[in-house]
Amino acid sequence: MWVPAEWVATEVTGLPGADVEIVALGRDVGQAGDVGAVPVPPSAADVEFYVPSFFPSPASIAAVGQMPRLRVVQTLTAGVDWIRPHVPPGVSLCNARGAHDAATAEWVVAAMLGSLRGFPLLSREQAAGRWAYQGTDQLATKNVLIVGYGSIGAAVEQRLAGFEVTVTRVARRAKPGVTPLSQLASVLPQADVVVLLVPFTPETAGMVDAAFLAGMKDGALLVNAARGAVVDTAALVAEVASGRLRAALDVTDPEPLPPGHELWALPGAFITPHVAASTPVSRQRVARLVREQAQAYLGGEPLRNVISGAY
């Protein structure tokens, strides 16, 4: 069993039948810089259960092709778009659905509140030593549209209770109280806040394009905690630069966002470096999930969160 860090190894070490090795290949793509290629250890030939790092390097993804005994890939992330094409047939791919719900939902609500109440601007005024009194927007009375209503979306809605908002839910398929993605255009124009939580798939790649953004009401806030490539960056820059829309982004395209990119300087954009799920609670819960999945595998029991079909 390969795991990417000590904090994961601590949770799984001691499981009967598990030989745990900490292997990190190259620098995570979520970090700056490059440490160069790292040789794949010979123990890759014996790996049956593989846990890549949270932001896997190209080398750590490619390593699955050197694991002839591989049976399970368990990600530390809810999204699996980055590794799914590399998982060999017959290998179970499992994501971390549920482990990051609380942390990501907190970030979404914090991003809404901070952006609407003008915290980024007021923070800049504080840094400049200016008492810049001004009115702000508010979350109360807003219509919040959650696009990609799964476990994280439900956690967001739970945390919005008490904020006096109306929540509209959109998911791939219609359910009671949930609008199908095919009818998104009918609910988009009424939204004051649009939260993106969709998985990155061929269907969602670039879905937030110029037409989507044009369908949002003037002054609306786009909150992206999904994947950067769900949004057409050039189209978003144009709308935010014009002042018609605002954006709160934990993910971008490209990512990491390079120095000098237009998004950095836009007054209506609030950007964090993909940190929504980077909390102690998320780490504890995903490490516990890895242990539970390893126990299930060793005991011949069904795995959770197995990715199949379209997603």
Side-chain angles (χ1 to χ4, degrees), residues 163-179:
F163 278 102
E164 302 179 41
V165 301
T166 300
V167 175
T168 303
R169 312 169 194 90
V170 171
R172 186 169 47 185
R173 287 181 289 272
K175 308 172 200 173
V178 180
T179 300

Side-chain angles (χ1 to χ4, degrees), residues 13 40 60 88 111 116 121 143 163 170 185 208 247-248 251 272 295 302 307:
T13 296
V40 177
S60 66
L116 293 170
L121 171 61
N143 185 333
F163 278 102
V170 171
V208 182
V251 289
T272 59
Q295 284 180 314
I307 303 299

Side-chain angles (χ1 to χ4, degrees), residues 233 237 253-254 257-266:
T233 301
V237 167
D253 182 27
L257 195 64
H261 194 282
E262 294 173 278
L263 274 174
W264 287 121
L266 295 179

Side-chain angles (χ1 to χ4, degrees), residues 200-210 212 228-233 253:
F200 183 70
T201 67
E203 181 184 17
T204 63
M207 67 176 285
V208 182
D209 56 13
F212 182 110
V230 168
V231 177
D232 181 327
T233 301
D253 182 27

Side-chain angles (χ1 to χ4, degrees), residues 54-142:
F54 196 80
F55 293 107
S57 67
S60 66
I61 296 172
V64 299
Q66 301 182 49
M67 299 176 177
R69 298 182 62 185
L70 185 64
R71 295 295 177 267
V72 180
V73 175
Q74 172 64 59
T75 69
L76 300 177
T77 57
V80 295
D81 51 279
W82 46 272
I83 197 167
R84 188 172 187 182
H86 305 274
V87 177
V91 174
S92 296
L93 172 61
C94 306
N95 72 358
R97 176 184 169 89
H100 304 300
D101 292 359
T104 304
E106 280 187 356
W107 181 91
V108 168
V109 175
M112 286 186 208
L113 287 168
S115 296
L116 293 170
R117 296 308 305 263
F119 285 0
L121 171 61
L122 295 174
S123 180
R124 291 192 292 270
E125 295 298 314
Q126 176 186 347
R130 292 191 291 260
W131 186 269
Y133 173 82
Q134 55 194 278
T136 71
D137 202 344
Q138 83 293 317
L139 183 54
T141 74
K142 301 297 189 191

Side-chain angles (χ1 to χ4, degrees), residues 220-269:
L221 171 68
L222 181 75
V223 180
N224 191 2
R227 283 288 187 268
V230 168
V231 177
D232 181 327
T233 301
L236 180 64
V237 167
E239 289 281 15
V240 177
S242 74
R244 198 183 74 80
L245 298 179
R246 293 170 285 181
L249 312 171
D250 188 49
V251 289
T252 60
D253 182 27
E255 186 176 310
L257 195 64
H261 194 282
E262 294 173 278
L263 274 174
W264 287 121
L266 295 179

